[in-house]
Amino acid sequence: GLDTILKAFSDYKNKYLENGSLWLIGEGKDKALLSHLINDYHIEEFVKIKPIPAGRAKFELLHQVDLFLRPSRDEYFPSSVLEAASVAVPSIVSGNFQIGQYIKHYNAGYVLEENNYQQLAKLMLKCLQDIKYNNWNIKRRNSLRMVNEQYHWNKIAAAHQSLFEQTI
């Protein structure tokens, strides 16, 4: 979904003329293609590609972020969304993510009903409005609450133990 993010961010910057920057975290085989798209969309001064930080540095980086984007086309366990939420960063995720039901329930960000750049750009604008009108702090608190209530290790361990006991 990185192409979706870049095109949406291009609309956000060039069509809607909004402030902001985009950090792409990770360096893989598609870095050259992404750099090419960044240049084609004329957003090179607003987009930074950063290496994946490890340990404490990851959470220090996440503390500098207002919004986490995960419009992936395939669902895997979205640990990066949970890491962002654990430091009170709301997310926009694709509708095919199972975590989307929790993001909706907890009001911890937004879920893309259609995974395309137009809707992502509109949701990015909606997030900006939430930030401007002080609704963002509610989403931040809800993100942290979501992680603590649904994904806390003690709760997960108890659920696994209960399931294990039922099978014996």
Side-chain angles (χ1 to χ4, degrees), residues 2 26-35 49:
L2 293 173
E27 296 182 26
K29 60 181 170 48
D30 295 327
K31 184 178 178 181
L33 173 63
L34 293 174
S35 295
I49 299 176

Side-chain angles (χ1 to χ4, degrees), residues 5 12 42 53 64 68 73 77 87 91 94 101 107 109 112 114 128 138 147 153 156 161 163:
I5 290 173
Y12 176 83
H42 307 290
Q64 299 174 49
F68 191 83
R73 293 178 181 95
F77 187 72
V87 294
S91 296
S94 58
Q101 68 185 346
N107 187 26
L112 289 163
E114 295 180 40
L128 181 62
I138 294 167
V147 169
W153 281 115
I156 293 170
Q161 182 177 353
L163 183 62

Side-chain angles (χ1 to χ4, degrees), residues 42-83:
H42 307 290
I43 53 176
E44 55 273 356
E45 74 179 273
F46 309 108
V47 179
K48 305 291 181 247
I49 299 176
K50 297 176 174 263
I52 296 175
R56 177 175 285 221
K58 179 190 301 184
F59 293 97
E60 289 170 359
L61 181 70
L62 284 171
H63 276 290
Q64 299 174 49
V65 173
D66 291 316
L67 172 65
F68 191 83
L69 304 174
R70 183 78 189 263
S72 300
R73 293 178 181 95
D74 296 315
E75 180 181 359
Y76 300 101
F77 187 72
S79 58
S80 57
V81 174
L82 297 177
E83 289 170 341

